[in-house]
Amino acid sequence: MTNPNNISLNISHALEFIDGHALNIPTLKILSEDGDILDGATAPELDKDTALRIYSTMRFIRLLDERMQAAQRQGRISFYMQCLGEEAAITASAAALKQEDMIMAQYREQAALHYRGFSLEQFMNQLFSNEKDLGKGRQMPVHYGSNELHYLTISSPLGTQIPQATGYAYGQKLKHIDAQSGELSSEIDNVTICYFGEGAASEGDFHAGLNMAAVHKAPVLFFARNNGYAISTPADEQFKGDGIASRGVGYGIKTIRVDGADTLAVYAATQKAREIAVTTGEPVLIESIAYRLGAHSTSDDPSGYRTKDEEAEFKSNCPVARFKAWLLKQGWLNEEEDEAQKDKIREEILAALKVAEKVQKPALEELVSDVYDTPIPALQKQYEELKEHIKQHPDAYPITAGRIK
Amino acid sequence: MAKMNMLHAINSALDITMAEHPQACIFGEDVGYFGGVFRATSGLQEKYGKHRVFNTPLTEQGILGFANGLAAFGAPALAEIQFADYIFPAFDQIVNESAKFRYRSGNEFNVGNLTIRTPYGGGIAGGLYHSQSPEAYFAHTPGLKLVVPRNPYQAKGLLRACIKDDNPVIFFEPKRLYRASTGEVPEGDYTIEIGKAEVVKEGKDVTLLAWGAQMEIIEQAAAKAEEAGISCEVIDLRSILPWDVETIAKSVTKTGRLIISHEAPITNGFGAEIAATIQKECFLHLESPIERVCGLDTPYPLALEKEYVPDALKVFAAIKKSVEF
């Protein structure tokens, strides 16, 4: 007999309710705080080059974040968001993917973009919204995106990328459909990873996206960054039950929880999740438990809602230091070279900043291009009128007036 | 040419699209083997498989989020919202995402492959939640295109144009007309240009303008007016965004009078935008104030629908008022 409810009924005669925390999903941890492989844990296969690239990405992002946070305080850019405390979660997960896999991020995942090859200059051009910014100066700082690097442009509304990741991943799977039989191949080339915070998991888009991915079997990796805070709202005012991971289980999605400050655990979990997605075509949820060490953004001040003691406790559990300790023990890194590298990167960042802030703003034409594939008549007319107005009052519009054709 | 009703014409446009692109997908609530509540997608799952024509969970937000992602991937995404009244849970995905994808990314990404089909309007005894005409909400959003057909021939040609258009388009289908009549429709492929209004009947005293199901009403009103010796020019706007200012302005310059009719409530309805623009374009040619015959500023009612709707008699009254001004 078919079961239209799509659940296997386990009949009971005892009146019992299941508690939200009863699941008690375990957290994968491989690396100790001192950089040793824990007893009973198995380190993932990670070659030296990849390991060093992960480390140099984490270190670069930390230095970039530090400098750009300061640049915002100096009034040189309007806004910034740091990755502080989550460098391992972002970088190691990105490293476990293929270059052509799609990344749909929330906003705090600049390390994944840098790992893919987004250059220092490209970061600066976006942050200064100059004419070399791939986004043509239309969005706030940190709203990066690159088609070439398969990194969807960031959108400010929270969680909207979650069902989109499901749709995109479904397309990646559908690429392998047999036109004659209408059947899908058992193995696919690429997956989509979708990053979001535990706050975004409260949005309707989260539930819509996960449910559709589960039902329609889209090869998407949902990467929940449970970092303790959604701006000033702590996790205990955000959700009940056993974290975000329990939602994945509820939707019938294979789920794992990892220590988000443990580079090896994140790498191992993402690598395995990707393998599941490409071989079964199904989604996987990874919940990373970390701590957002920095402020939500430069518009936020954590001193108003959490204690210095709490921050200090998590500062001592630094994901970058933990991975560095392992690399030193592997003999793949030495302290002197590392320090020298840091100074060099700091200089490069400062130099790139000085160049980018002098590059001119986008031309007036970019105000109206890309609304549609070609401007519609009403917009063309508005543009012509605006141009005429600026020509008559060039002093009032110094950024564009001299460049109008 | 074949005789088709509007549902057959829409089905035919979808069929051509599915055959044309191996990754084109049709999805929405009940659109799979059942063919949708109105049967617009009948037979397509059978023909193209359950991976390409499928039922979604009941989540308009999810349907449009999924559609944005699929379109960004590069596959034609043919999303159905079962009734336009239920498009609002997807409002954020349409207004903040579909509409802004290309602009915000500097054209690094776009969802030009997205077409949203949704039945709109009254006349089926559907009351508040099965009768709305929400076009004006979307007409306020740069980056979208909005199209409404008035008959089976227009439906197929315009829908094909929407699908081929490299921008996200919402195609509002007048559900009252789905099975109301049949017309000659080519079995093969053709398109009707988006953004062009059509002068359905020429006249000299007054211009009547509407779209979708309301076209039938203004045509009836025009017939009444002709009997009373008033010559009406009847125009189908067809495309609400972008809309054809030139054709309307040319007609109003000739007739000196304009009456706009739509089912949606009058305040901030799309008729308001047309009236403001035409007033500016044709100021010295106008012989009387531009009249709007629209729904009341109430939710769409059930029992007193006849009183609520802008019917032919109300349009005829406006015509007389305009010519006697």
Short mmCIF file of all heavy atoms in Angstrom, two decimals, chain B residues 85-143:
data_model
loop_
_atom_site.label_atom_id
_atom_site.label_comp_id
_atom_site.label_asym_id
_atom_site.label_seq_id
_atom_site.Cartn_x
_atom_site.Cartn_y
_atom_site.Cartn_z
N ASP B 85 -3.42 36.95 -6.95
CA ASP B 85 -3.68 37.33 -5.55
C ASP B 85 -2.63 36.74 -4.61
O ASP B 85 -2.43 37.23 -3.51
CB ASP B 85 -5.05 36.81 -5.13
CG ASP B 85 -6.14 37.22 -6.10
OD1 ASP B 85 -6.15 36.70 -7.24
OD2 ASP B 85 -6.96 38.05 -5.75
N TYR B 86 -2.01 35.64 -5.03
CA TYR B 86 -1.05 34.95 -4.16
C TYR B 86 0.39 35.22 -4.54
O TYR B 86 1.30 34.50 -4.14
CB TYR B 86 -1.36 33.44 -4.16
CG TYR B 86 -2.75 33.18 -3.68
CD1 TYR B 86 -3.72 32.64 -4.50
CD2 TYR B 86 -3.12 33.56 -2.39
CE1 TYR B 86 -5.02 32.46 -4.07
CE2 TYR B 86 -4.41 33.39 -1.93
CZ TYR B 86 -5.36 32.84 -2.78
OH TYR B 86 -6.64 32.68 -2.33
N ILE B 87 0.60 36.30 -5.28
CA ILE B 87 1.96 36.63 -5.70
C ILE B 87 2.72 37.37 -4.60
O ILE B 87 3.94 37.44 -4.61
CB ILE B 87 1.93 37.46 -7.02
CG1 ILE B 87 3.24 37.29 -7.79
CG2 ILE B 87 1.61 38.92 -6.75
CD1 ILE B 87 3.19 37.78 -9.22
N PHE B 88 1.97 37.90 -3.62
CA PHE B 88 2.62 38.76 -2.63
C PHE B 88 3.66 38.07 -1.73
O PHE B 88 4.65 38.70 -1.36
CB PHE B 88 1.58 39.53 -1.81
CG PHE B 88 0.77 40.44 -2.70
CD1 PHE B 88 -0.55 40.16 -3.01
CD2 PHE B 88 1.36 41.53 -3.30
CE1 PHE B 88 -1.27 40.97 -3.88
CE2 PHE B 88 0.67 42.35 -4.17
CZ PHE B 88 -0.66 42.07 -4.46
N PRO B 89 3.52 36.80 -1.37
CA PRO B 89 4.63 36.17 -0.64
C PRO B 89 5.91 36.17 -1.46
O PRO B 89 7.01 36.05 -0.90
CB PRO B 89 4.12 34.73 -0.40
CG PRO B 89 2.64 34.85 -0.45
CD PRO B 89 2.35 35.92 -1.47
N ALA B 90 5.80 36.29 -2.78
CA ALA B 90 6.97 36.31 -3.65
C ALA B 90 7.42 37.73 -3.98
O ALA B 90 8.33 37.93 -4.78
CB ALA B 90 6.67 35.56 -4.95
N PHE B 91 6.76 38.71 -3.36
CA PHE B 91 7.01 40.12 -3.72
C PHE B 91 8.49 40.48 -3.57
O PHE B 91 9.08 41.11 -4.45
CB PHE B 91 6.15 41.01 -2.82
CG PHE B 91 5.89 42.38 -3.38
CD1 PHE B 91 5.15 42.55 -4.54
CD2 PHE B 91 6.37 43.52 -2.74
CE1 PHE B 91 4.89 43.81 -5.05
CE2 PHE B 91 6.12 44.79 -3.25
CZ PHE B 91 5.38 44.94 -4.40
N ASP B 92 9.11 40.07 -2.48
CA ASP B 92 10.52 40.40 -2.26
C ASP B 92 11.41 39.77 -3.31
O ASP B 92 12.31 40.42 -3.84
CB ASP B 92 10.95 39.94 -0.86
CG ASP B 92 12.38 40.35 -0.54
OD1 ASP B 92 12.70 41.54 -0.72
OD2 ASP B 92 13.17 39.49 -0.12
N GLN B 93 11.15 38.50 -3.62
CA GLN B 93 11.97 37.84 -4.64
C GLN B 93 11.81 38.52 -6.00
O GLN B 93 12.75 38.54 -6.80
CB GLN B 93 11.61 36.34 -4.75
CG GLN B 93 12.25 35.48 -3.67
CD GLN B 93 13.76 35.30 -3.83
OE1 GLN B 93 14.33 35.58 -4.87
NE2 GLN B 93 14.41 34.81 -2.79
N ILE B 94 10.63 39.06 -6.29
CA ILE B 94 10.42 39.70 -7.60
C ILE B 94 10.98 41.12 -7.60
O ILE B 94 11.77 41.51 -8.47
CB ILE B 94 8.92 39.72 -7.96
CG1 ILE B 94 8.38 38.29 -8.07
CG2 ILE B 94 8.69 40.46 -9.27
CD1 ILE B 94 6.87 38.20 -8.22
N VAL B 95 10.59 41.91 -6.58
CA VAL B 95 10.92 43.34 -6.58
C VAL B 95 12.38 43.61 -6.18
O VAL B 95 13.04 44.46 -6.76
CB VAL B 95 9.94 44.07 -5.63
CG1 VAL B 95 10.40 45.48 -5.33
CG2 VAL B 95 8.55 44.09 -6.24
N ASN B 96 12.88 42.85 -5.20
CA ASN B 96 14.26 43.08 -4.75
C ASN B 96 15.28 42.21 -5.47
O ASN B 96 16.46 42.53 -5.46
CB ASN B 96 14.38 42.83 -3.24
CG ASN B 96 14.11 44.08 -2.43
OD1 ASN B 96 14.36 45.19 -2.89
ND2 ASN B 96 13.58 43.91 -1.24
N GLU B 97 14.82 41.11 -6.02
CA GLU B 97 15.78 40.18 -6.64
C GLU B 97 15.66 40.17 -8.17
O GLU B 97 16.52 40.70 -8.85
CB GLU B 97 15.59 38.79 -6.04
CG GLU B 97 15.85 38.74 -4.53
CD GLU B 97 17.31 38.98 -4.17
OE1 GLU B 97 18.18 38.42 -4.85
OE2 GLU B 97 17.58 39.73 -3.22
N SER B 98 14.58 39.60 -8.71
CA SER B 98 14.44 39.51 -10.17
C SER B 98 14.73 40.86 -10.83
O SER B 98 15.51 40.96 -11.77
CB SER B 98 13.02 39.11 -10.58
OG SER B 98 12.54 38.05 -9.81
N ALA B 99 14.09 41.90 -10.31
CA ALA B 99 14.15 43.21 -10.96
C ALA B 99 15.53 43.85 -10.87
O ALA B 99 15.87 44.68 -11.70
CB ALA B 99 13.11 44.14 -10.31
N LYS B 100 16.32 43.47 -9.87
CA LYS B 100 17.59 44.17 -9.63
C LYS B 100 18.82 43.34 -9.91
O LYS B 100 19.95 43.80 -9.73
CB LYS B 100 17.62 44.68 -8.18
CG LYS B 100 16.53 45.70 -7.88
CD LYS B 100 16.50 46.07 -6.41
CE LYS B 100 15.52 47.19 -6.09
NZ LYS B 100 14.12 46.86 -6.40
N PHE B 101 18.62 42.11 -10.33
CA PHE B 101 19.75 41.19 -10.53
C PHE B 101 20.82 41.79 -11.44
O PHE B 101 22.00 41.81 -11.12
CB PHE B 101 19.23 39.89 -11.16
CG PHE B 101 19.59 38.66 -10.39
CD1 PHE B 101 18.77 38.21 -9.37
CD2 PHE B 101 20.74 37.95 -10.68
CE1 PHE B 101 19.10 37.07 -8.66
CE2 PHE B 101 21.07 36.81 -9.98
CZ PHE B 101 20.25 36.36 -8.96
N ARG B 102 20.40 42.27 -12.59
CA ARG B 102 21.35 42.75 -13.59
C ARG B 102 22.01 44.06 -13.12
O ARG B 102 23.22 44.22 -13.19
CB ARG B 102 20.64 42.97 -14.93
CG ARG B 102 21.58 43.24 -16.09
CD ARG B 102 20.84 43.73 -17.32
NE ARG B 102 19.82 42.82 -17.80
CZ ARG B 102 20.03 41.85 -18.70
NH1 ARG B 102 21.22 41.67 -19.21
NH2 ARG B 102 19.02 41.08 -19.08
N TYR B 103 21.17 44.96 -12.62
CA TYR B 103 21.66 46.29 -12.24
C TYR B 103 22.65 46.20 -11.09
O TYR B 103 23.74 46.76 -11.14
CB TYR B 103 20.47 47.17 -11.84
CG TYR B 103 20.82 48.63 -11.70
CD1 TYR B 103 21.04 49.44 -12.82
CD2 TYR B 103 20.94 49.23 -10.45
CE1 TYR B 103 21.35 50.78 -12.71
CE2 TYR B 103 21.26 50.57 -10.31
CZ TYR B 103 21.46 51.33 -11.45
OH TYR B 103 21.77 52.67 -11.32
N ARG B 104 22.29 45.47 -10.05
CA ARG B 104 23.13 45.47 -8.86
C ARG B 104 24.46 44.76 -9.08
O ARG B 104 25.42 44.98 -8.36
CB ARG B 104 22.39 44.84 -7.67
CG ARG B 104 22.24 43.34 -7.76
CD ARG B 104 21.78 42.76 -6.44
NE ARG B 104 21.63 41.33 -6.56
CZ ARG B 104 20.56 40.64 -6.16
NH1 ARG B 104 19.54 41.27 -5.61
NH2 ARG B 104 20.52 39.34 -6.29
N SER B 105 24.48 43.85 -10.07
CA SER B 105 25.72 43.10 -10.31
C SER B 105 26.56 43.73 -11.42
O SER B 105 27.59 43.17 -11.79
CB SER B 105 25.39 41.65 -10.66
OG SER B 105 24.84 41.57 -11.96
N GLY B 106 26.11 44.86 -11.96
CA GLY B 106 26.84 45.45 -13.09
C GLY B 106 26.83 44.54 -14.30
O GLY B 106 27.77 44.49 -15.06
N ASN B 107 25.75 43.78 -14.43
CA ASN B 107 25.55 42.82 -15.52
C ASN B 107 26.50 41.62 -15.43
O ASN B 107 26.72 40.93 -16.42
CB ASN B 107 25.68 43.50 -16.90
CG ASN B 107 24.90 42.74 -17.98
OD1 ASN B 107 24.02 41.95 -17.67
ND2 ASN B 107 25.26 42.95 -19.24
N GLU B 108 27.03 41.35 -14.25
CA GLU B 108 27.79 40.11 -14.05
C GLU B 108 26.81 38.93 -14.08
O GLU B 108 27.15 37.84 -14.50
CB GLU B 108 28.50 40.14 -12.69
CG GLU B 108 29.69 41.08 -12.62
CD GLU B 108 30.90 40.54 -13.38
OE1 GLU B 108 31.41 39.49 -13.02
OE2 GLU B 108 31.32 41.21 -14.35
N PHE B 109 25.58 39.18 -13.61
CA PHE B 109 24.53 38.15 -13.58
C PHE B 109 23.20 38.77 -13.98
O PHE B 109 22.99 39.97 -13.78
CB PHE B 109 24.39 37.55 -12.17
CG PHE B 109 25.64 36.87 -11.68
CD1 PHE B 109 26.58 37.56 -10.92
CD2 PHE B 109 25.89 35.54 -12.00
CE1 PHE B 109 27.75 36.94 -10.49
CE2 PHE B 109 27.05 34.91 -11.56
CZ PHE B 109 27.98 35.61 -10.81
N ASN B 110 22.31 37.97 -14.55
CA ASN B 110 20.96 38.47 -14.83
C ASN B 110 19.97 37.31 -14.81
O ASN B 110 20.36 36.15 -14.86
CB ASN B 110 20.92 39.21 -16.17
CG ASN B 110 20.97 38.27 -17.35
OD1 ASN B 110 19.96 37.66 -17.71
ND2 ASN B 110 22.13 38.12 -17.96
N VAL B 111 18.68 37.67 -14.71
CA VAL B 111 17.63 36.65 -14.74
C VAL B 111 16.68 36.92 -15.91
O VAL B 111 15.48 36.78 -15.80
CB VAL B 111 16.85 36.55 -13.41
CG1 VAL B 111 17.74 35.99 -12.31
CG2 VAL B 111 16.26 37.88 -12.99
N GLY B 112 17.30 37.31 -17.04
CA GLY B 112 16.51 37.58 -18.25
C GLY B 112 15.69 36.38 -18.71
O GLY B 112 14.71 36.53 -19.44
N ASN B 113 16.07 35.19 -18.28
CA ASN B 113 15.36 33.97 -18.68
C ASN B 113 14.09 33.70 -17.89
O ASN B 113 13.46 32.67 -18.06
CB ASN B 113 16.27 32.76 -18.51
CG ASN B 113 17.15 32.54 -19.71
OD1 ASN B 113 16.72 32.77 -20.84
ND2 ASN B 113 18.37 32.09 -19.49
N LEU B 114 13.75 34.62 -16.99
CA LEU B 114 12.59 34.38 -16.12
C LEU B 114 11.29 34.93 -16.73
O LEU B 114 11.23 36.08 -17.15
CB LEU B 114 12.84 35.05 -14.76
CG LEU B 114 11.64 35.11 -13.80
CD1 LEU B 114 11.17 33.72 -13.40
CD2 LEU B 114 12.01 35.91 -12.56
N THR B 115 10.28 34.09 -16.76
CA THR B 115 8.93 34.52 -17.12
C THR B 115 7.98 34.02 -16.03
O THR B 115 7.97 32.83 -15.70
CB THR B 115 8.49 33.94 -18.48
OG1 THR B 115 9.48 34.28 -19.46
CG2 THR B 115 7.14 34.51 -18.91
N ILE B 116 7.20 34.93 -15.48
CA ILE B 116 6.22 34.57 -14.45
C ILE B 116 4.84 34.66 -15.08
O ILE B 116 4.46 35.71 -15.59
CB ILE B 116 6.28 35.54 -13.25
CG1 ILE B 116 7.71 35.61 -12.70
CG2 ILE B 116 5.28 35.12 -12.17
CD1 ILE B 116 7.94 36.81 -11.77
N ARG B 117 4.11 33.56 -15.09
CA ARG B 117 2.73 33.57 -15.58
C ARG B 117 1.79 33.58 -14.39
O ARG B 117 1.99 32.80 -13.44
CB ARG B 117 2.42 32.32 -16.42
CG ARG B 117 3.16 32.17 -17.71
CD ARG B 117 2.80 30.83 -18.37
NE ARG B 117 1.39 30.55 -18.17
CZ ARG B 117 0.92 29.57 -17.40
NH1 ARG B 117 1.72 28.74 -16.77
NH2 ARG B 117 -0.38 29.40 -17.27
N THR B 118 0.77 34.41 -14.44
CA THR B 118 -0.18 34.39 -13.35
C THR B 118 -1.56 34.88 -13.77
O THR B 118 -1.68 35.91 -14.43
CB THR B 118 0.36 35.20 -12.14
OG1 THR B 118 -0.51 35.00 -11.03
CG2 THR B 118 0.49 36.69 -12.43
N PRO B 119 -2.63 34.12 -13.46
CA PRO B 119 -3.99 34.54 -13.81
C PRO B 119 -4.43 35.69 -12.89
O PRO B 119 -4.20 35.63 -11.69
CB PRO B 119 -4.83 33.29 -13.52
CG PRO B 119 -3.87 32.17 -13.31
CD PRO B 119 -2.60 32.79 -12.83
N TYR B 120 -5.03 36.73 -13.48
CA TYR B 120 -5.43 37.87 -12.67
C TYR B 120 -6.87 38.24 -13.01
O TYR B 120 -7.45 37.77 -13.99
CB TYR B 120 -4.52 39.10 -12.97
CG TYR B 120 -5.00 39.87 -14.18
CD1 TYR B 120 -5.81 41.01 -14.02
CD2 TYR B 120 -4.72 39.44 -15.47
CE1 TYR B 120 -6.31 41.69 -15.12
CE2 TYR B 120 -5.21 40.12 -16.57
CZ TYR B 120 -6.00 41.25 -16.39
OH TYR B 120 -6.50 41.91 -17.47
N GLY B 121 -7.45 39.11 -12.19
CA GLY B 121 -8.72 39.78 -12.51
C GLY B 121 -9.96 39.04 -12.06
O GLY B 121 -9.91 37.88 -11.60
N GLY B 122 -11.10 39.73 -12.17
CA GLY B 122 -12.36 39.21 -11.65
C GLY B 122 -13.21 38.51 -12.69
O GLY B 122 -12.72 38.06 -13.72
N GLY B 123 -14.49 38.42 -12.35
CA GLY B 123 -15.44 37.84 -13.29
C GLY B 123 -15.65 36.36 -13.13
O GLY B 123 -16.32 35.72 -13.95
N ILE B 124 -15.05 35.74 -12.09
CA ILE B 124 -15.26 34.30 -11.89
C ILE B 124 -15.89 34.04 -10.52
O ILE B 124 -15.77 32.94 -9.99
CB ILE B 124 -13.95 33.50 -12.01
CG1 ILE B 124 -12.92 33.97 -10.96
CG2 ILE B 124 -13.35 33.62 -13.41
CD1 ILE B 124 -11.98 32.87 -10.51
N ALA B 125 -16.54 35.05 -9.96
CA ALA B 125 -17.14 34.93 -8.62
C ALA B 125 -16.10 34.50 -7.59
O ALA B 125 -16.36 33.66 -6.75
CB ALA B 125 -18.32 33.95 -8.65
N GLY B 126 -14.93 35.09 -7.68
CA GLY B 126 -13.82 34.69 -6.81
C GLY B 126 -13.62 35.54 -5.58
O GLY B 126 -12.81 35.20 -4.72
N GLY B 127 -14.32 36.66 -5.49
CA GLY B 127 -14.20 37.50 -4.29
C GLY B 127 -12.81 38.08 -4.11
O GLY B 127 -12.01 38.13 -5.05
N LEU B 128 -12.56 38.47 -2.88
CA LEU B 128 -11.34 39.22 -2.53
C LEU B 128 -10.04 38.58 -3.00
O LEU B 128 -9.14 39.26 -3.43
CB LEU B 128 -11.22 39.35 -1.00
CG LEU B 128 -12.40 39.83 -0.20
CD1 LEU B 128 -12.04 39.82 1.27
CD2 LEU B 128 -12.80 41.22 -0.64
N TYR B 129 -9.95 37.26 -2.85
CA TYR B 129 -8.66 36.61 -3.02
C TYR B 129 -8.50 35.78 -4.30
O TYR B 129 -7.58 34.99 -4.41
CB TYR B 129 -8.35 35.74 -1.79
CG TYR B 129 -8.21 36.57 -0.55
CD1 TYR B 129 -9.05 36.41 0.54
CD2 TYR B 129 -7.23 37.57 -0.47
CE1 TYR B 129 -8.92 37.19 1.66
CE2 TYR B 129 -7.10 38.36 0.65
CZ TYR B 129 -7.94 38.17 1.73
OH TYR B 129 -7.82 38.94 2.84
N HIS B 130 -9.42 35.95 -5.23
CA HIS B 130 -9.24 35.29 -6.53
C HIS B 130 -9.61 36.23 -7.65
O HIS B 130 -10.05 35.80 -8.71
CB HIS B 130 -10.08 34.00 -6.62
CG HIS B 130 -9.66 32.95 -5.65
ND1 HIS B 130 -10.08 32.96 -4.33
CD2 HIS B 130 -8.84 31.88 -5.78
CE1 HIS B 130 -9.54 31.91 -3.70
NE2 HIS B 130 -8.78 31.25 -4.56
N SER B 131 -9.46 37.55 -7.43
CA SER B 131 -9.94 38.51 -8.42
C SER B 131 -9.05 39.73 -8.59
O SER B 131 -9.37 40.63 -9.36
CB SER B 131 -11.33 39.02 -8.00
OG SER B 131 -12.22 37.94 -7.80
N GLN B 132 -7.93 39.78 -7.87
CA GLN B 132 -7.16 41.03 -7.88
C GLN B 132 -6.36 41.26 -9.16
O GLN B 132 -6.01 40.32 -9.87
CB GLN B 132 -6.18 41.04 -6.69
CG GLN B 132 -6.89 41.08 -5.35
CD GLN B 132 -5.92 40.98 -4.18
OE1 GLN B 132 -5.06 41.83 -4.00
NE2 GLN B 132 -6.06 39.92 -3.39
N SER B 133 -6.09 42.54 -9.41
CA SER B 133 -5.25 42.97 -10.53
C SER B 133 -4.07 43.75 -9.96
O SER B 133 -4.13 44.95 -9.79
CB SER B 133 -6.05 43.89 -11.47
OG SER B 133 -7.18 43.23 -11.96
N PRO B 134 -2.98 43.04 -9.61
CA PRO B 134 -1.90 43.71 -8.87
C PRO B 134 -0.83 44.36 -9.75
O PRO B 134 0.27 44.65 -9.27
CB PRO B 134 -1.29 42.55 -8.06
CG PRO B 134 -1.51 41.35 -8.91
CD PRO B 134 -2.74 41.60 -9.74
N GLU B 135 -1.14 44.64 -11.03
CA GLU B 135 -0.09 45.12 -11.93
C GLU B 135 0.60 46.39 -11.48
O GLU B 135 1.80 46.58 -11.71
CB GLU B 135 -0.64 45.27 -13.36
CG GLU B 135 -1.66 46.40 -13.59
CD GLU B 135 -3.10 45.98 -13.34
OE1 GLU B 135 -3.31 44.89 -12.81
OE2 GLU B 135 -4.01 46.76 -13.66
N ALA B 136 -0.16 47.29 -10.83
CA ALA B 136 0.45 48.58 -10.47
C ALA B 136 1.58 48.45 -9.46
O ALA B 136 2.53 49.21 -9.48
CB ALA B 136 -0.62 49.54 -9.94
N TYR B 137 1.48 47.45 -8.57
CA TYR B 137 2.57 47.25 -7.60
C TYR B 137 3.89 46.99 -8.32
O TYR B 137 4.95 47.45 -7.90
CB TYR B 137 2.28 46.04 -6.70
CG TYR B 137 1.11 46.22 -5.76
CD1 TYR B 137 -0.13 45.69 -6.07
CD2 TYR B 137 1.28 46.90 -4.57
CE1 TYR B 137 -1.20 45.84 -5.21
CE2 TYR B 137 0.22 47.06 -3.70
CZ TYR B 137 -1.03 46.53 -4.02
OH TYR B 137 -2.07 46.68 -3.16
N PHE B 138 3.81 46.23 -9.37
CA PHE B 138 5.03 45.84 -10.09
C PHE B 138 5.46 46.90 -11.09
O PHE B 138 6.64 47.00 -11.43
CB PHE B 138 4.82 44.48 -10.76
CG PHE B 138 4.53 43.40 -9.77
CD1 PHE B 138 3.24 42.97 -9.53
CD2 PHE B 138 5.56 42.86 -9.02
CE1 PHE B 138 2.97 42.00 -8.58
CE2 PHE B 138 5.32 41.88 -8.06
CZ PHE B 138 4.01 41.44 -7.84
N ALA B 139 4.49 47.69 -11.55
CA ALA B 139 4.80 48.75 -12.52
C ALA B 139 5.66 49.85 -11.89
O ALA B 139 6.24 50.66 -12.58
CB ALA B 139 3.50 49.36 -13.07
N HIS B 140 5.76 49.83 -10.57
CA HIS B 140 6.58 50.83 -9.86
C HIS B 140 8.03 50.37 -9.74
O HIS B 140 8.84 51.05 -9.12
CB HIS B 140 5.96 51.06 -8.47
CG HIS B 140 6.46 52.28 -7.78
ND1 HIS B 140 6.41 53.53 -8.34
CD2 HIS B 140 7.03 52.46 -6.57
CE1 HIS B 140 6.93 54.41 -7.49
NE2 HIS B 140 7.31 53.78 -6.41
N THR B 141 8.35 49.21 -10.30
CA THR B 141 9.66 48.61 -10.09
C THR B 141 10.51 48.56 -11.36
O THR B 141 10.24 47.75 -12.25
CB THR B 141 9.50 47.18 -9.55
OG1 THR B 141 8.71 47.24 -8.35
CG2 THR B 141 10.84 46.57 -9.22
N PRO B 142 11.54 49.42 -11.45
CA PRO B 142 12.43 49.34 -12.62
C PRO B 142 13.08 47.97 -12.70
O PRO B 142 13.47 47.40 -11.68
CB PRO B 142 13.48 50.42 -12.32
CG PRO B 142 12.84 51.34 -11.33
CD PRO B 142 11.93 50.48 -10.52
N GLY B 143 13.19 47.45 -13.90
CA GLY B 143 13.85 46.16 -14.10
C GLY B 143 12.89 45.06 -14.49
O GLY B 143 13.30 44.01 -14.97
#
